[in-house]
Amino acid sequence: MLIAVKPFRTLIFAFALAALGCHAQTPTPTTSDTSGKLSPEAVRRVEVLIRSRASIPAGYVIQVGSRTRSEVPGFDRISVSFLADGKSSKPTDFLISTDGNTLAQFSKFDISKDPKLLVSGDGRPARGGPANAPVLIVGFDDLECPYCAKMHEQLFPALTERYKNQIHIVYRDFPLDQHPWAMRAAIDTNCVGAQSPVGYWNLVDYIHAHAGDLGGTEKSLAKANENLDTLARDEGKKQNLNADALNACLAKQDDTAIKASIKLGESLGVDSTPALFINGEKVEGAQPLEDVYRMIDSALIASGQTPPPPPTPIQAQPQTPPATKPGN
């Protein structure tokens, strides 16, 4: 993108058509054939519209290319570039109607791929239904994040109860820099998860429920790290894991997989936690449970499945008046 004086703003007309001019009772100006070079008057009308709509500085030269056939019926394509200080921007495509009276710009997106394939749950400990369940829920989680803990406590028990085998839930790691022991927690839970998915989820459940206590009364990072390692070893004993392999993993503190997970999240636009992907549809932050239900129901219907009936509202029980003694 060419930058001079101030950045050129991206032109997005979002399918809205902008008239190049209205010439009542006069013939349409000649714009040449349906392909080829625009007339000087048509070029000027394009330039004036773009300069005014996008606040292009006077120091920019707007260069309008020849019209070529487009995929949109009734419109041809023209390329517009911007020149300043001897440097040219990357050309931007516009559509111009065949009568030369309307200019449009829009973006074309590929929706041929199943959004569910946007982020995979492969290789991760899972809850809920099988890997081929119709709905895949991938959560990017920070084990030191209080909002993640709240979502973990409230949302996932409700989802697994309501949808049972219709949903497959996995977590991917996204420890934030401002949380000092979140990276170690991610590594330690993965060390356990490498041998036991059940142990992984037990450890995740405990850490989210007791995050505020891990650093001790002094809120020490060293204490939190020590407690995390102890919790991982204790869970390893419960699950009869290979102690040597687990201790080696805890001692190594290899963050390669965690950094790869962070990079994946960033490529998907994740910059905070919690973040969920429901068959590829992104949900950021804490959301009302009813909205999450609606998104999962929509994904189920798109997969040819029938969502469960809506939860029955809890009816308030009538209050029995307090008993009174005779004569009162």
Side-chain angles (χ1 to χ4, degrees):
M1 190 65 68
L2 177 65
I3 297 177
V5 182
K6 65 177 181 179
F8 168 63
R9 296 186 313 200
T10 302
L11 300 174
I12 302 178
F13 293 168
F15 294 95
L17 303 182
L20 287 176
C22 181
H23 302 275
Q25 299 181 355
T26 59
T28 300
T30 301
T31 60
S32 80
D33 299 329
T34 56
S35 62
K37 190 174 181 180
L38 293 176
S39 69
E41 183 183 1
V43 169
R44 174 162 175 75
R45 288 189 281 126
V46 169
E47 178 182 344
V48 169
L49 177 76
I50 292 175
R51 192 179 294 279
S52 61
R53 286 295 184 93
S55 301
I56 305 300
Y60 284 80
V61 175
I62 299 178
Q63 299 174 319
V64 181
S66 298
R67 63 195 302 161
T68 58
R69 295 190 183 279
S70 76
E71 302 172 358
V72 182
F75 285 84
D76 295 321
R77 179 184 290 107
I78 57 173
S79 291
V80 177
S81 56
F82 306 88
L83 181 67
D85 298 331
K87 298 180 180 179
S88 181
S89 70
K90 181 180 178 180
T92 301
D93 285 342
F94 288 84
L95 297 177
I96 187 168
S97 60
T98 52
D99 64 7
N101 285 336
T102 305
L103 189 72
Q105 186 190 37
F106 65 88
S107 298
K108 182 173 69 172
F109 301 97
D110 182 6
I111 59 171
S112 62
K113 297 180 181 178
D114 185 350
K116 186 177 181 180
L117 304 178
L118 183 66
V119 54
S120 169
D122 293 347
R124 298 295 299 164
R127 270 181 168 167
N132 63 350
V135 175
L136 170 64
I137 300 176
V138 178
F140 282 85
D141 186 53
D142 176 322
L143 286 162
E144 197 176 349
C145 166
Y147 303 103
C148 296
K150 185 176 181 64
M151 182 196 71
H152 183 84
E153 176 189 10
Q154 297 180 354
L155 183 63
F156 287 109
L159 295 185
T160 52
E161 172 65 25
R162 173 170 165 77
Y163 293 100
K164 298 180 173 59
N165 286 339
Q166 290 184 305
I167 59 174
H168 184 76
I169 301 170
V170 302
Y171 274 178
R172 289 194 174 276
D173 300 296
F174 202 85
L176 300 173
D177 291 339
Q178 64 263 37
H179 293 153
W181 54 258
M183 175 63 80
R184 192 172 194 107
I187 294 172
D188 284 9
T189 53
N190 280 310
C191 286
V192 172
Q195 297 189 55
S196 171
V198 172
Y200 168 87
W201 284 109
N202 288 345
L203 194 54
V204 167
D205 289 342
Y206 187 91
I207 293 173
H208 268 317
H210 300 87
D213 303 327
L214 293 181
T217 55
E218 63 273 28
K219 303 299 180 184
S220 162
L221 174 59
K223 185 68 173 178
N225 290 340
E226 178 185 347
N227 284 336
L228 286 166
D229 290 353
T230 300
L231 289 170
R233 292 189 182 96
D234 289 346
E235 187 60 36
K237 292 176 183 178
K238 293 178 185 177
Q239 303 302 326
N240 295 316
L241 304 187
N242 183 313
D244 290 340
L246 177 60
N247 287 328
C249 184
L250 296 175
K252 188 175 182 180
Q253 286 296 302
D254 184 0
D255 61 3
T256 304
I258 312 301
K259 288 182 176 179
S261 180
I262 294 172
K263 186 175 181 180
L264 172 63
E266 290 174 343
S267 72
L268 297 170
V270 176
D271 58 9
S272 62
T273 55
L276 300 178
F277 288 83
I278 300 173
N279 272 11
E281 184 174 7
K282 186 179 178 184
V283 185
E284 291 184 291
Q287 299 294 331
L289 192 57
E290 292 75 14
D291 291 346
V292 179
Y293 284 164
R294 176 181 51 78
M295 297 173 73
I296 296 175
D297 288 352
S298 175
L300 283 171
I301 292 170
S303 301
Q305 302 288 318
T306 301
T312 303
I314 300 176
Q315 300 292 331
Q317 297 297 321
Q319 300 246 344
T320 302
T324 58
K325 295 181 180 179
N328 286 359

